Amino acid sequence: ILVQEAMQESRIGRIAEDIAGRKGVKFVMIAGPSSSGKTTFSHRLSIQLKTFGLTPHPIEVDNYFVNREKTPRDADGNYNFESLDAIDTERFMCELLEGKRIELPTFNFKTGKREYKGNFLQLGADDILVIEGIHGLNDKMSYALPNESKYKIYISALTSLNVDEHNRISTADCCVGWCGMPGREERAQDRQLPSGRLCGAARKRIFFPSRKVRMRRLILR
């Protein structure tokens, strides 16, 4: 376990070095499926960024949820917190980019409202925002930010999911379609696939297996 932790820390350090070596990067955008470790990763990366003289500020996109009465609902009438429309994209980071001193919000999930607790921030020359959320790679969320100011990272646990007793699928195949990987932002947003659901290609591979696999299932049954 300690060796694996050391290897991971070394890789995070190399990512931090790459970020520090790129001029103009002010926003590190992190995305991945639910419970993939985005928050933990953002804090570990922030520590590594400090070793290169940067001042990182980990920020959770969840704190930019719209108030509960404005939250979109799904087909069943339940609140859809995984829709991009649940995020206040118009306000997200715009004022910071303009160099203004702003008060960062904290979303209270019990009251369903954003709260402000005196957490002020103004980007300086060495400041960098480490932003994490399931829509972190979706350009529709950060449309106001110049592309050269963003550094995108996708993380996922290296495990496989059982479709049934005989078939497995990589979590990367499951999640890459909805989380907004580069080149798939439009596709992910249009489908608004929440965590745990499969993109169209992955769904086709699982639920419409090859004839050989179908025959094997038939024989086993």
Side-chain angles (χ1 to χ4, degrees):
I1 293 175
L2 292 176
V3 171
Q4 292 296 326
E5 285 291 317
M7 290 176 62
Q8 186 183 46
E9 202 64 37
S10 176
R11 291 171 180 171
I12 295 175
R14 291 198 295 271
I15 293 173
E17 183 178 10
D18 188 42
I19 294 172
R22 297 194 185 191
K23 294 182 179 180
V25 173
K26 302 294 288 184
F27 306 91
V28 178
M29 316 296 291
I30 303 169
S34 297
S35 302
S36 60
K38 295 186 295 295
T39 302
T40 300
F41 176 82
S42 68
H43 286 277
R44 294 177 70 168
L45 178 61
S46 295
I47 293 174
Q48 293 289 344
L49 289 170
K50 289 182 179 180
T51 67
F52 293 95
L54 298 174
T55 305
H57 303 277
I59 293 180
E60 299 178 31
V61 175
D62 287 359
N63 286 327
Y64 280 85
F65 273 132
V66 297
N67 290 336
R68 188 65 45 82
E69 63 272 13
K70 296 182 179 179
T71 304
R73 296 178 182 267
D74 58 22
D76 297 323
N78 300 316
Y79 289 115
N80 187 1
F81 294 107
E82 294 177 337
S83 168
L84 184 62
D85 293 330
I87 305 295
D88 189 353
T89 55
E90 293 185 4
R91 186 171 182 182
F92 182 70
M93 299 296 114
C94 292
E95 294 178 339
L96 270 177
L97 189 62
E98 296 174 358
K100 297 179 181 179
R101 183 173 182 265
I102 68 167
E103 187 176 7
L104 297 175
T106 299
F107 192 81
N108 188 324
F109 282 89
K110 290 184 178 180
T111 63
K113 295 183 181 297
R114 276 178 289 184
E115 299 176 349
Y116 295 88
K117 303 179 179 180
N119 183 16
F120 289 93
L121 177 63
Q122 184 173 11
L123 284 181
D126 297 325
D127 289 279
I128 186 168
L129 300 186
V130 183
I131 303 164
E132 58 91 1
I134 63 172
H135 291 288
L137 303 188
N138 193 335
D139 283 333
K140 288 188 176 181
M141 184 190 72
S142 57
Y143 66 91
L145 308 179
N147 287 330
E148 61 272 15
S149 71
K150 295 183 286 188
Y151 187 101
K152 298 180 178 182
I153 300 173
Y154 169 77
I155 66 171
S156 174
L158 289 177
T159 61
S160 56
L161 303 176
N162 273 15
V163 179
D164 54 29
E165 296 92 339
H166 313 292
N167 297 279
R168 295 174 181 266
I169 184 170
S170 166
T171 51
D173 289 340
C174 288
C175 302
V176 72
W178 65 261
C179 76
M181 284 292 287
R184 295 200 176 184
E185 290 89 348
E186 295 289 336
R187 175 181 180 181
Q189 171 57 16
D190 290 343
R191 299 191 179 189
Q192 293 185 346
L193 297 181
S195 58
R197 291 190 186 178
L198 307 177
C199 67
R203 191 183 300 114
K204 183 176 181 181
R205 287 197 296 272
I206 294 174
F207 297 108
F208 299 94
S210 66
R211 183 169 180 269
K212 185 176 182 181
V213 174
R214 291 200 300 269
M215 288 299 293
R216 185 180 66 178
R217 288 181 179 173
L218 181 61
I219 293 171
L220 288 174
R221 288 175 183 175

